[in-house]
Amino acid sequence: MKDLKEQLVEWRHYLHEHPESAFEEVNTAAFVAEKLREMGIEVETGVGKTGVVGTLKVGDGDRVIGLRADMDCICLQEAADLPYKSQTPNRMHACGHDGHTTTLLGAAKILSESKDFSGTVRFVFQPAEEPGHGSKAMMDDGFFERFPVDEMYGLHNMPQYPAGTIAVREGGIMASEDNFTIKIKGKGGHASAPDVVKDPLVTAAEIICALQTIVARNVTPTETAVVSCTEFETDGAHNAIPSNVVIRGDTRSFTPEVSKLIEERMGTICRHICEMNGAECEFTYTHEFAPTFNWKENVQYVIKAAKAVVGEDKVVENCAPLMSSEDFGRFIQEVPGCFVFLGNRRDGEEASPLHNSCFNYNDDILVTGAEFFAELVRERLPKV
Protein backbone atom coordinates (compact mmCIF):
# COMPACT_ATOMS: atom_id res chain seq x y z
CA MET A 1 0.00 0.00 0.00
CA LYS A 2 1.27 3.47 -0.86
CA ASP A 3 2.09 5.77 2.02
CA LEU A 4 0.18 9.03 2.29
CA LYS A 5 2.78 11.27 0.66
CA GLU A 6 3.33 8.93 -2.27
CA GLN A 7 -0.42 8.78 -2.90
CA LEU A 8 -0.90 12.54 -2.66
CA VAL A 9 2.02 13.25 -4.98
CA GLU A 10 0.56 10.86 -7.55
CA TRP A 11 -2.84 12.57 -7.35
CA ARG A 12 -1.34 16.06 -7.52
CA HIS A 13 0.78 15.25 -10.57
CA TYR A 14 -2.26 13.85 -12.35
CA LEU A 15 -4.26 17.00 -11.65
CA HIS A 16 -1.34 19.20 -12.71
CA GLU A 17 -1.12 17.31 -16.00
CA HIS A 18 -4.87 17.73 -16.67
CA PRO A 19 -5.80 21.31 -15.69
CA GLU A 20 -9.26 22.75 -16.27
CA SER A 21 -10.30 26.39 -15.99
CA ALA A 22 -13.34 27.97 -14.36
CA PHE A 23 -16.54 25.93 -14.67
CA GLU A 24 -14.75 23.52 -16.99
CA GLU A 25 -13.58 21.26 -14.12
CA VAL A 26 -15.54 18.23 -15.33
CA ASN A 27 -12.66 15.73 -15.27
CA THR A 28 -11.27 17.21 -12.05
CA ALA A 29 -14.66 16.95 -10.34
CA ALA A 30 -15.08 13.35 -11.52
CA PHE A 31 -11.59 12.50 -10.21
CA VAL A 32 -12.35 14.07 -6.82
CA ALA A 33 -15.75 12.35 -6.57
CA GLU A 34 -14.21 8.98 -7.42
CA LYS A 35 -11.53 9.29 -4.74
CA LEU A 36 -14.02 10.41 -2.09
CA ARG A 37 -16.37 7.51 -2.86
CA GLU A 38 -13.46 5.08 -2.61
CA MET A 39 -12.96 6.43 0.93
CA GLY A 40 -16.59 5.70 1.79
CA ILE A 41 -17.56 9.36 1.81
CA GLU A 42 -21.02 10.46 0.63
CA VAL A 43 -20.64 12.62 -2.50
CA GLU A 44 -22.78 15.21 -4.26
CA THR A 45 -21.60 16.54 -7.64
CA GLY A 46 -22.71 19.39 -9.88
CA VAL A 47 -22.97 21.86 -6.99
CA GLY A 48 -22.62 25.33 -8.49
CA LYS A 49 -22.14 23.75 -11.95
CA THR A 50 -18.96 21.72 -11.35
CA GLY A 51 -18.47 21.79 -7.58
CA VAL A 52 -18.22 18.68 -5.42
CA VAL A 53 -19.23 18.26 -1.77
CA GLY A 54 -18.25 15.19 0.25
CA THR A 55 -19.89 14.49 3.61
CA LEU A 56 -18.37 12.31 6.33
CA LYS A 57 -20.30 11.78 9.57
CA VAL A 58 -18.70 10.01 12.52
CA GLY A 59 -20.21 9.45 15.95
CA ASP A 60 -23.16 11.37 17.32
CA GLY A 61 -21.71 14.89 17.39
CA ASP A 62 -24.07 17.50 15.99
CA ARG A 63 -21.56 20.12 14.81
CA VAL A 64 -20.53 20.45 11.15
CA ILE A 65 -17.18 21.73 9.89
CA GLY A 66 -16.58 22.73 6.27
CA LEU A 67 -13.15 22.42 4.65
CA ARG A 68 -12.76 24.01 1.23
CA ALA A 69 -10.33 23.67 -1.70
CA ASP A 70 -10.42 25.33 -5.13
CA MET A 71 -10.10 23.22 -8.31
CA ASP A 72 -9.70 25.52 -11.33
CA CYS A 73 -6.53 26.43 -13.19
CA ILE A 74 -5.68 29.65 -15.04
CA CYS A 75 -5.42 30.28 -18.76
CA LEU A 76 -1.64 30.29 -19.15
CA GLN A 77 0.80 28.26 -21.21
CA GLU A 78 3.11 26.25 -18.95
CA ALA A 79 6.82 26.92 -19.51
CA ALA A 80 8.38 24.51 -16.99
CA ASP A 81 9.69 21.24 -18.40
CA LEU A 82 8.12 18.78 -15.96
CA PRO A 83 7.45 15.08 -16.52
CA TYR A 84 3.83 15.86 -15.55
CA LYS A 85 3.61 19.13 -17.50
CA SER A 86 0.15 20.35 -18.50
CA GLN A 87 -1.21 18.46 -21.50
CA THR A 88 -3.78 21.15 -22.28
CA PRO A 89 -2.68 24.20 -24.29
CA ASN A 90 -3.08 27.55 -22.52
CA ARG A 91 -4.13 25.90 -19.28
CA MET A 92 -1.97 25.32 -16.21
CA HIS A 93 -2.12 25.11 -12.44
CA ALA A 94 -0.05 28.24 -11.89
CA CYS A 95 -1.72 29.09 -8.58
CA GLY A 96 -1.47 25.70 -6.89
CA HIS A 97 -5.10 24.66 -6.94
CA ASP A 98 -3.94 21.17 -7.92
CA GLY A 99 -2.11 21.14 -4.58
CA HIS A 100 -5.09 22.53 -2.67
CA THR A 101 -7.43 19.90 -4.14
CA THR A 102 -4.97 17.13 -3.33
CA THR A 103 -4.45 18.45 0.20
CA LEU A 104 -8.16 18.29 0.91
CA LEU A 105 -8.35 14.79 -0.56
CA GLY A 106 -5.50 13.92 1.80
CA ALA A 107 -7.42 15.27 4.78
CA ALA A 108 -10.45 13.25 3.68
CA LYS A 109 -8.30 10.11 3.48
CA ILE A 110 -6.82 10.67 6.96
CA LEU A 111 -10.18 11.35 8.59
CA SER A 112 -12.08 8.59 6.78
CA GLU A 113 -9.50 6.06 7.99
CA SER A 114 -8.97 7.36 11.55
CA LYS A 115 -12.56 8.40 12.34
CA ASP A 116 -11.16 10.02 15.49
CA PHE A 117 -13.72 12.79 15.78
CA SER A 118 -17.44 13.13 16.50
CA GLY A 119 -19.55 15.16 14.11
CA THR A 120 -19.75 15.92 10.40
CA VAL A 121 -17.14 17.16 7.95
CA ARG A 122 -18.00 18.68 4.57
CA PHE A 123 -15.19 18.45 2.03
CA VAL A 124 -15.99 21.33 -0.32
CA PHE A 125 -14.30 21.36 -3.72
CA GLN A 126 -15.11 24.71 -5.31
CA PRO A 127 -14.98 25.59 -9.01
CA ALA A 128 -14.10 28.93 -10.59
CA GLU A 129 -12.09 30.57 -7.83
CA GLU A 130 -9.86 32.48 -10.24
CA PRO A 131 -12.62 34.71 -11.67
CA GLY A 132 -14.31 34.91 -8.26
CA HIS A 133 -17.58 33.29 -9.33
CA GLY A 134 -17.39 29.81 -7.83
CA SER A 135 -18.46 30.40 -4.24
CA LYS A 136 -21.43 32.47 -5.42
CA ALA A 137 -22.41 29.75 -7.88
CA MET A 138 -22.38 27.18 -5.09
CA MET A 139 -24.38 29.42 -2.78
CA ASP A 140 -26.87 30.24 -5.54
CA ASP A 141 -27.25 26.47 -5.90
CA GLY A 142 -28.30 26.26 -2.26
CA PHE A 143 -24.97 25.25 -0.73
CA PHE A 144 -25.72 26.37 2.82
CA GLU A 145 -29.28 25.03 2.70
CA ARG A 146 -28.29 21.67 1.22
CA PHE A 147 -25.02 21.24 3.13
CA PRO A 148 -25.29 23.22 6.39
CA VAL A 149 -22.02 24.02 8.16
CA ASP A 150 -21.27 25.72 11.46
CA GLU A 151 -17.76 26.86 10.47
CA MET A 152 -15.60 26.87 7.33
CA TYR A 153 -11.86 26.80 6.77
CA GLY A 154 -9.59 27.08 3.75
CA LEU A 155 -5.93 27.53 2.85
CA HIS A 156 -3.71 28.83 0.07
CA ASN A 157 -0.07 28.08 -0.61
CA MET A 158 2.20 31.13 -0.37
CA PRO A 159 5.70 31.38 -1.90
CA GLN A 160 6.84 34.12 0.48
CA TYR A 161 6.76 31.75 3.47
CA PRO A 162 9.14 28.80 4.03
CA ALA A 163 7.67 25.38 3.34
CA GLY A 164 5.49 24.16 6.20
CA THR A 165 4.89 27.56 7.76
CA ILE A 166 1.26 28.30 8.58
CA ALA A 167 0.38 32.01 8.69
CA VAL A 168 -2.86 33.61 9.79
CA ARG A 169 -4.33 36.82 11.19
CA GLU A 170 -7.57 38.11 12.65
CA GLY A 171 -9.71 40.32 10.43
CA GLY A 172 -8.86 41.12 6.83
CA ILE A 173 -6.28 38.72 5.43
CA MET A 174 -7.08 39.16 1.71
CA ALA A 175 -8.73 42.12 0.03
CA SER A 176 -11.89 42.57 -1.99
CA GLU A 177 -11.61 43.13 -5.72
CA ASP A 178 -13.90 45.58 -7.51
CA ASN A 179 -13.66 46.21 -11.26
CA PHE A 180 -14.41 49.43 -13.11
CA THR A 181 -14.84 50.63 -16.69
CA ILE A 182 -14.81 54.30 -17.70
CA LYS A 183 -16.00 55.12 -21.23
CA ILE A 184 -15.25 58.65 -22.39
CA LYS A 185 -16.83 60.03 -25.56
CA GLY A 186 -15.37 63.19 -27.05
CA LYS A 187 -15.09 64.53 -30.58
CA GLY A 188 -12.17 63.29 -32.62
CA GLY A 189 -10.37 64.98 -35.47
CA HIS A 190 -7.07 65.71 -37.15
CA ALA A 191 -4.06 65.80 -34.84
CA SER A 192 -3.07 69.18 -36.35
CA ALA A 193 -6.31 70.84 -35.22
CA PRO A 194 -6.84 70.18 -31.49
CA ASP A 195 -8.85 73.39 -31.20
CA VAL A 196 -11.81 71.91 -33.08
CA VAL A 197 -12.03 68.60 -31.20
CA LYS A 198 -13.00 67.52 -27.69
CA ASP A 199 -9.97 65.44 -26.83
CA PRO A 200 -10.92 62.34 -24.76
CA LEU A 201 -7.23 61.43 -24.31
CA VAL A 202 -6.50 64.55 -22.30
CA THR A 203 -9.70 64.00 -20.34
CA ALA A 204 -8.71 60.40 -19.64
CA ALA A 205 -5.24 61.46 -18.49
CA GLU A 206 -6.77 63.91 -16.03
CA ILE A 207 -9.09 61.19 -14.73
CA ILE A 208 -6.30 58.66 -14.25
CA CYS A 209 -4.25 61.14 -12.23
CA ALA A 210 -7.25 62.34 -10.23
CA LEU A 211 -8.27 58.80 -9.27
CA GLN A 212 -5.05 58.49 -7.27
CA THR A 213 -6.29 61.20 -4.92
CA ILE A 214 -8.98 58.84 -3.63
CA VAL A 215 -6.48 56.73 -1.67
CA ALA A 216 -4.24 59.71 -0.88
CA ARG A 217 -6.93 62.14 0.22
CA ASN A 218 -10.28 60.38 0.79
CA VAL A 219 -9.55 57.00 2.38
CA THR A 220 -8.73 57.19 6.09
CA PRO A 221 -4.94 56.82 6.43
CA THR A 222 -5.28 53.84 8.78
CA GLU A 223 -7.32 51.95 6.17
CA THR A 224 -5.77 50.14 3.21
CA ALA A 225 -6.89 50.59 -0.39
CA VAL A 226 -5.56 50.36 -3.94
CA VAL A 227 -6.90 51.98 -7.13
CA SER A 228 -5.24 50.73 -10.32
CA CYS A 229 -5.96 51.66 -13.93
CA THR A 230 -4.78 48.67 -15.95
CA GLU A 231 -6.15 49.05 -19.50
CA PHE A 232 -6.37 52.01 -21.88
CA GLU A 233 -8.05 51.79 -25.31
CA THR A 234 -8.70 54.42 -28.01
CA ASP A 235 -10.05 54.53 -31.56
CA GLY A 236 -7.44 57.04 -32.71
CA ALA A 237 -4.36 56.85 -34.93
CA HIS A 238 -0.91 58.48 -34.93
CA ASN A 239 -2.34 61.52 -36.74
CA ALA A 240 -5.93 61.40 -35.48
CA ILE A 241 -7.23 62.45 -32.08
CA PRO A 242 -9.74 59.75 -31.03
CA SER A 243 -13.41 60.21 -30.26
CA ASN A 244 -13.53 57.43 -27.67
CA VAL A 245 -11.35 56.24 -24.82
CA VAL A 246 -11.96 53.30 -22.47
CA ILE A 247 -10.17 52.96 -19.13
CA ARG A 248 -10.42 49.73 -17.15
CA GLY A 249 -8.97 48.65 -13.85
CA ASP A 250 -9.63 47.38 -10.37
CA THR A 251 -9.65 48.47 -6.76
CA ARG A 252 -8.81 46.64 -3.54
CA SER A 253 -9.98 47.20 0.02
CA PHE A 254 -10.88 45.32 3.19
CA THR A 255 -14.27 46.77 4.18
CA PRO A 256 -17.58 47.46 2.41
CA GLU A 257 -17.39 51.05 3.62
CA VAL A 258 -14.10 51.73 1.84
CA SER A 259 -15.33 49.94 -1.27
CA LYS A 260 -18.42 52.16 -1.33
CA LEU A 261 -16.34 55.29 -0.78
CA ILE A 262 -14.06 54.41 -3.71
CA GLU A 263 -17.02 53.73 -6.00
CA GLU A 264 -18.75 57.00 -5.13
CA ARG A 265 -15.60 59.11 -5.45
CA MET A 266 -14.64 57.49 -8.76
CA GLY A 267 -18.05 58.22 -10.22
CA THR A 268 -17.96 61.85 -9.12
CA ILE A 269 -14.43 62.43 -10.41
CA CYS A 270 -15.13 60.85 -13.80
CA ARG A 271 -18.38 62.68 -14.41
CA HIS A 272 -17.09 66.11 -13.38
CA ILE A 273 -13.81 65.95 -15.31
CA CYS A 274 -15.70 64.84 -18.42
CA GLU A 275 -18.22 67.66 -17.95
CA MET A 276 -15.39 70.18 -17.52
CA ASN A 277 -13.89 69.06 -20.84
CA GLY A 278 -17.14 68.83 -22.76
CA ALA A 279 -17.02 65.02 -22.98
CA GLU A 280 -19.59 62.38 -22.15
CA CYS A 281 -18.94 59.72 -19.49
CA GLU A 282 -20.23 56.23 -18.81
CA PHE A 283 -18.98 54.73 -15.54
CA THR A 284 -19.58 51.16 -14.34
CA TYR A 285 -18.34 49.54 -11.14
CA THR A 286 -18.76 45.88 -10.18
CA HIS A 287 -17.98 43.92 -7.02
CA GLU A 288 -16.11 40.73 -7.98
CA PHE A 289 -14.48 39.35 -4.80
CA ALA A 290 -15.58 39.90 -1.21
CA PRO A 291 -12.80 40.57 1.30
CA THR A 292 -11.61 37.50 3.20
CA PHE A 293 -12.19 38.47 6.81
CA ASN A 294 -11.15 35.94 9.47
CA TRP A 295 -13.29 35.51 12.56
CA LYS A 296 -11.43 36.07 15.84
CA GLU A 297 -12.35 32.85 17.64
CA ASN A 298 -11.71 30.69 14.56
CA VAL A 299 -8.22 32.12 14.22
CA GLN A 300 -7.43 30.77 17.67
CA TYR A 301 -8.67 27.29 16.69
CA VAL A 302 -6.42 27.43 13.62
CA ILE A 303 -3.39 28.49 15.66
CA LYS A 304 -3.87 25.62 18.11
CA ALA A 305 -4.19 23.04 15.32
CA ALA A 306 -1.28 24.52 13.38
CA LYS A 307 1.06 24.40 16.38
CA ALA A 308 0.13 20.77 16.97
CA VAL A 309 1.10 19.88 13.37
CA VAL A 310 4.08 22.09 12.45
CA GLY A 311 5.31 23.33 15.82
CA GLU A 312 5.11 26.73 17.45
CA ASP A 313 8.15 28.09 15.62
CA LYS A 314 6.47 27.60 12.22
CA VAL A 315 3.23 29.41 13.05
CA VAL A 316 2.86 33.11 12.22
CA GLU A 317 -0.03 34.38 14.34
CA ASN A 318 -0.34 37.92 12.95
CA CYS A 319 0.86 37.82 9.36
CA ALA A 320 0.68 40.77 7.00
CA PRO A 321 -2.52 40.92 4.92
CA LEU A 322 -2.39 40.66 1.13
CA MET A 323 -4.13 42.97 -1.32
CA SER A 324 -4.83 40.07 -3.66
CA SER A 325 -8.27 38.47 -3.47
CA GLU A 326 -9.70 35.04 -2.68
CA ASP A 327 -13.18 33.71 -3.46
CA PHE A 328 -13.38 31.96 -0.07
CA GLY A 329 -14.32 35.32 1.47
CA ARG A 330 -17.99 34.95 0.51
CA PHE A 331 -18.34 31.72 2.48
CA ILE A 332 -17.20 33.26 5.76
CA GLN A 333 -19.46 36.23 5.31
CA GLU A 334 -22.24 33.71 5.95
CA VAL A 335 -20.71 31.52 8.67
CA PRO A 336 -17.74 31.84 11.05
CA GLY A 337 -14.44 30.70 9.61
CA CYS A 338 -10.82 31.32 8.84
CA PHE A 339 -8.43 31.28 5.88
CA VAL A 340 -4.72 30.53 6.28
CA PHE A 341 -1.53 30.66 4.24
CA LEU A 342 0.63 27.56 3.91
CA GLY A 343 4.26 28.33 3.08
CA ASN A 344 5.68 26.51 0.05
CA ARG A 345 9.17 28.00 -0.50
CA ARG A 346 11.80 25.27 -0.71
CA ASP A 347 15.01 25.69 1.30
CA GLY A 348 17.75 27.39 -0.70
CA GLU A 349 15.49 28.18 -3.65
CA GLU A 350 14.01 31.40 -4.92
CA ALA A 351 10.27 30.91 -4.89
CA SER A 352 8.40 31.14 -8.16
CA PRO A 353 5.52 33.60 -7.77
CA LEU A 354 1.92 32.55 -8.13
CA HIS A 355 0.50 32.88 -11.66
CA ASN A 356 3.95 32.40 -13.15
CA SER A 357 4.30 30.07 -16.17
CA CYS A 358 7.00 28.10 -14.30
CA PHE A 359 5.11 27.70 -11.01
CA ASN A 360 5.06 24.20 -9.54
CA TYR A 361 3.43 23.30 -6.23
CA ASN A 362 5.77 22.00 -3.56
CA ASP A 363 4.90 18.32 -3.02
CA ASP A 364 6.58 18.41 0.41
CA ILE A 365 3.71 20.44 1.90
CA LEU A 366 0.87 18.19 0.72
CA VAL A 367 0.91 16.03 3.84
CA THR A 368 1.43 19.08 6.07
CA GLY A 369 -1.72 20.72 4.74
CA ALA A 370 -3.72 17.49 4.96
CA GLU A 371 -2.64 16.85 8.54
CA PHE A 372 -3.43 20.46 9.48
CA PHE A 373 -6.99 20.14 8.15
CA ALA A 374 -7.41 16.80 9.94
CA GLU A 375 -6.11 18.20 13.23
CA LEU A 376 -8.44 21.18 12.91
CA VAL A 377 -11.38 18.79 12.61
CA ARG A 378 -10.24 16.89 15.70
CA GLU A 379 -9.91 20.21 17.53
CA ARG A 380 -13.40 21.38 16.59
CA LEU A 381 -15.19 17.99 16.67
CA PRO A 382 -13.59 16.18 19.61
CA LYS A 383 -14.70 12.76 20.69
CA VAL A 384 -16.52 12.94 24.02
Side-chain angles (χ1 to χ4, degrees):
M1 180 180 292
K2 295 174 182 175
D3 66 17
L4 182 60
K5 182 177 180 180
E6 185 181 0
Q7 182 66 86
L8 297 189
V9 169
E10 180 183 296
W11 289 348
R12 208 278 292 182
H13 290 186
Y14 173 82
L15 292 172
H16 190 90
E17 194 173 3
H18 301 91
E20 295 172 303
S21 60
F23 295 126
E24 296 177 351
E25 311 94 333
V26 176
N27 177 67
T28 305
F31 178 87
V32 166
E34 177 188 9
K35 300 309 174 189
L36 292 174
R37 290 189 178 110
E38 289 174 356
M39 299 173 198
I41 294 172
E42 180 183 335
V43 177
E44 188 76 28
T45 60
V47 184
K49 297 185 180 178
T50 47
V52 179
V53 179
T55 298
L56 176 63
K57 180 172 176 57
V58 174
D60 55 4
D62 58 2
R63 291 190 58 76
V64 185
I65 302 300
L67 303 176
R68 173 271 201 176
D70 36 20
M71 299 188 294
D72 58 323
C73 72
I74 66 175
C75 297
L76 187 68
Q77 185 64 40
E78 185 162 13
D81 187 18
L82 301 170
Y84 49 90
K85 182 177 181 178
S86 170
Q87 298 301 302
T88 307
N90 197 38
R91 297 287 189 276
M92 77 165 288
H93 276 295
C95 201
H97 296 186
D98 53 339
H100 302 161
T101 297
T102 303
T103 294
L104 189 51
L105 284 174
K109 182 174 175 60
I110 292 170
L111 292 168
S112 65
E113 292 176 354
S114 65
K115 294 183 172 61
D116 51 354
F117 64 95
S118 181
T120 301
V121 185
R122 311 275 192 206
F123 302 99
V124 182
F125 294 85
Q126 181 204 308
E129 189 282 327
E130 289 293 347
H133 300 152
S135 61
K136 184 177 185 301
M138 294 188 85
M139 286 189 280
D140 288 346
D141 200 14
F143 172 77
F144 284 113
E145 294 76 25
R146 297 165 61 189
F147 312 101
V149 297
D150 296 304
E151 306 167 15
M152 283 193 74
Y153 300 88
L155 63 75
H156 202 293
N157 76 99
M158 280 297 161
Q160 56 263 54
Y161 292 105
T165 300
I166 294 177
V168 70
R169 65 177 285 114
E170 293 178 10
I173 190 168
M174 298 188 79
S176 65
E177 179 190 336
D178 300 338
N179 294 169
F180 63 84
T181 301
I182 305 161
K183 295 182 178 180
I184 303 164
K185 183 177 181 181
K187 178 183 177 182
H190 202 285
S192 65
D195 55 310
V196 297
V197 305
K198 295 178 181 177
D199 190 342
L201 277 174
V202 173
T203 301
E206 291 183 39
I207 287 174
I208 290 172
C209 290
L211 292 180
Q212 301 309 307
T213 66
I214 297 173
V215 174
R217 286 295 176 266
N218 299 129
V219 175
T220 302
T222 54
E223 296 279 2
T224 304
V226 176
V227 175
S228 295
C229 297
T230 58
E231 295 183 71
F232 194 97
E233 300 175 1
T234 83
D235 59 357
H238 77 279
N239 62 349
I241 294 170
S243 293
N244 299 283
V245 170
V246 179
I247 306 167
R248 295 187 183 90
D250 77 18
T251 76
R252 311 284 172 140
S253 58
F254 285 105
T255 67
E257 293 76 18
V258 173
S259 173
K260 182 179 179 181
L261 169 67
I262 292 172
E263 180 179 4
E264 291 176 349
R265 288 297 300 142
M266 286 188 74
T268 300
I269 287 169
C270 293
R271 286 189 294 272
H272 286 190
I273 289 178
C274 284
E275 182 181 358
M276 179 179 69
N277 288 298
E280 297 177 21
C281 177
E282 180 183 328
F283 173 68
T284 57
Y285 193 96
T286 60
H287 303 272
E288 304 297 324
F289 286 81
T292 302
F293 203 88
N294 285 337
W295 293 55
K296 182 177 181 178
E297 287 188 0
N298 302 86
V299 169
Q300 297 308 309
Y301 306 147
V302 160
I303 290 171
K304 184 176 180 180
K307 288 180 177 179
V309 172
V310 301
E312 190 168 348
D313 61 329
K314 284 193 172 184
V315 177
V316 181
E317 298 186 26
N318 187 29
C319 69
L322 297 182
M323 296 310 293
S324 51
S325 303
E326 165 58 58
D327 199 23
F328 182 77
R330 280 197 179 93
F331 286 125
I332 55 174
Q333 285 185 327
E334 302 298 323
V335 296
C338 182
F339 194 73
V340 309
F341 299 144
L342 176 61
N344 71 354
R345 189 177 74 241
R346 297 172 177 87
D347 289 343
E349 292 186 15
E350 181 178 348
S352 174
L354 301 174
H355 290 214
N356 182 280
S357 60
C358 290
F359 180 84
N360 185 30
Y361 199 90
N362 186 349
D363 288 330
D364 291 339
I365 66 171
L366 290 170
V367 173
T368 304
E371 289 180 342
F372 162 71
F373 270 151
E375 182 62 24
L376 186 55
V377 168
R378 299 183 192 107
E379 164 71 19
R380 299 304 299 135
L381 302 177
K383 276 191 168 182
V384 178

